[in-house]
Amino acid sequence: MTAVQDTRREAIALSVVVPIFNEEEVLPVLAERLRPVLDACGEPYEVLAVDDGSTDRTPPLLEDLHTVWPELRIVTLRRNSGHQAALTAGLHRARGAHVISMDADLQDPPEVIPDMLALARADGLDIVHGVRIDRSTDTGFKRRTASAYYWLMRRLAGTFVPAHAGDFRLLSRPVVETLKTLPDQQQIYRLLIPWLGFPSGQIAYRRGDRVAGTTKYPLRKMTLLAWDSITSFSAVPLRLSTVIGAFSLVVCLAFLVWTLVVYATGSTLPGWTSLIITVLFFGAVQLFCLGMLGEYVARIYTAVQARPTYCVARDTDEDQQ
Ligand code: UDP
Ligand code: MG
């Protein structure tokens, strides 16, 4: 890295990380709304568009935007690695003194960015969470599942998790550097970042409609995120297996007493139904507990493999070197 680039690295006040996956309809509107807000801040900034292996017209559209918007930096991942991995790629490469992450679909309004920055500076905060006060534009199903998710996370992971704070947030350089020291596993940032314990604040905002295109978070990915969140922040499911095991032991003992009583009274033959029920019940309990254990073994397996969660094919900033 040359001295000139080094000074540029120091100079960037704000990086905006935007994970993008097949957002051809959204990109022009995103640039139209985001650029004036950032230009008006009057400070050097960069927008890190992380192309998460898009297969539509997103890559050429980004290239076009890059030619007219020098602050737009494109980081291309080799394949679709998921929203959180794309965020990781962006956070790892961002150079700003503050880093903001936001979705490409403008559900997180760019107009809130200057307020976040002002709040962080005024109150000396390292983290400013964007908290959704109004989710009326989300579907009823999404709202209900989201409420259940945050309720469960606050119960399992701890009350430090702010409710309805998604991935629209501001981080200071020290927070980003701390995140970079953590092992490169699939991170659940909305739980991990509050857990770090840096001074943090919140800014409420109205969550708008996705401006175009369709959600890239189908039910399957939402379920996966919820399950990952639980297993990465809580051993409660494992303990649940112990509780279920203890409960079945009690049931077992009761059955034992009952069997002995039936044996003593001499009527031991008609017992097929109870036998089948017992076999099925304990078979199910054992499989359930084994499965639970398996989930955690799988996490250990992934951690031991230590594969990177993303591979960068290209970073437009490195083109110029
Ligand atoms: N996204 C991504 N990789 C994926 C899925 C989504 O980078 O595999 C991006 C997507 O382009 C968007 C953000 O993550 O910028 C949030 O996705 P989306 O708006 O579809 O989620 P929702 O708001 O419906 O939960
Ligand atoms: Mg969205």
Side-chain angles (χ1 to χ4, degrees):
M1 179 145 307
T2 64
V4 178
Q5 275 165 336
D6 257 344
T7 19
R8 196 161 52 103
R9 173 194 282 245
E10 293 309 314
I12 292 176
L14 180 68
S15 299
V16 180
V17 175
V18 193
I20 298 171
F21 176 53
N22 290 348
E23 302 282 12
E24 57 182 4
E25 299 102 327
V26 170
L27 278 182
V29 201
L30 174 71
E32 222 167 84
R33 284 237 338 246
L34 184 59
R35 191 171 182 185
V37 173
L38 296 177
D39 285 344
C41 285
E43 292 177 82
Y45 68 87
E46 61 174 1
V47 174
L48 269 105
V50 185
D51 177 7
D52 186 15
S54 299
T55 48
D56 64 355
R57 291 195 52 253
T58 297
L61 277 175
L62 278 175
E63 290 301 332
D64 292 348
L65 278 174
H66 177 61
T67 53
V68 291
W69 188 10
E71 286 87 1
L72 181 76
R73 176 175 164 196
I74 310 168
V75 174
T76 313
L77 303 190
R78 291 202 182 275
R79 62 172 174 83
N80 180 239
S81 312
H83 178 212
Q84 300 289 306
L87 255 181
T88 311
L91 288 178
H92 282 189
R93 288 176 170 251
R95 292 175 177 161
H98 285 98
V99 182
I100 287 186
S101 51
M102 64 179 282
D103 287 355
D105 59 0
L106 292 169
Q107 284 195 287
D108 310 328
E111 294 74 21
V112 178
I113 291 176
D115 302 340
M116 282 181 152
L117 204 56
L119 180 71
R121 284 175 178 160
D123 295 357
L125 302 174
D126 281 300
I127 303 169
V128 179
H129 299 283
V131 174
R132 308 159 200 189
I133 44 168
D134 178 12
R135 298 187 67 132
S136 55
T137 52
D138 281 335
T139 61
F141 176 73
K142 184 118 191 171
R143 276 207 304 275
R144 270 192 295 276
T145 47
S147 292
Y149 173 82
Y150 287 106
W151 176 83
L152 193 67
M153 285 309 122
R154 288 169 71 86
R155 295 289 301 263
L156 291 182
T159 45
F160 57 80
V161 180
H164 295 283
D167 286 306
F168 185 31
R169 69 174 87 75
L170 171 142
L171 305 174
S172 69
R173 178 60 26 204
V175 180
V176 177
E177 290 306 319
T178 309
L179 288 175
K180 279 160 87 171
T181 62
L182 300 177
D184 185 23
Q185 291 165 23
Q186 193 72 348
Q187 307 288 12
I188 314 284
Y189 286 114
R190 61 189 69 183
L191 302 180
L192 184 68
I193 289 173
W195 176 83
L196 293 174
F198 280 88
S200 62
Q202 303 189 344
I203 280 221
Y205 73 99
R206 248 164 238 291
R207 190 150 169 89
D209 263 328
R210 173 176 253 285
V211 288
T214 52
T215 177
K216 308 295 176 300
Y217 254 93
L219 184 60
R220 184 180 58 81
K221 281 194 194 170
M222 266 160 55
T223 320
L224 250 158
L225 178 77
W227 186 240
D228 264 356
S229 306
I230 296 171
T231 49
S232 68
F233 263 83
S234 168
V236 167
L238 276 180
R239 299 205 182 106
L240 199 69
S241 316
T242 320
V243 173
I244 293 171
F247 170 75
S248 21
L249 184 75
V250 174
V251 177
C252 246
L253 285 175
F255 264 119
L256 189 80
V257 173
W258 176 69
T259 323
L260 289 177
V261 170
V262 173
Y263 178 73
T265 51
S267 51
T268 43
L269 247 190
W272 185 82
T273 315
S274 53
L275 193 70
I276 290 296
I277 290 175
T278 319
V279 170
L280 289 182
F281 176 72
F282 288 106
V285 166
Q286 278 167 15
L287 279 182
F288 177 81
C289 295
L290 258 181
M292 206 80 101
L293 204 65
E295 290 292 339
Y296 285 85
V297 173
R299 289 196 76 81
I300 300 172
Y301 175 61
T302 318
V304 169
Q305 281 181 320
R307 289 187 190 148
T309 47
Y310 64 87
C311 288
V312 172
R314 175 181 173 224
D315 181 338
T316 48
D317 249 32
E318 285 162 6
D319 290 352
Q320 295 143 20
Q321 281 181 23

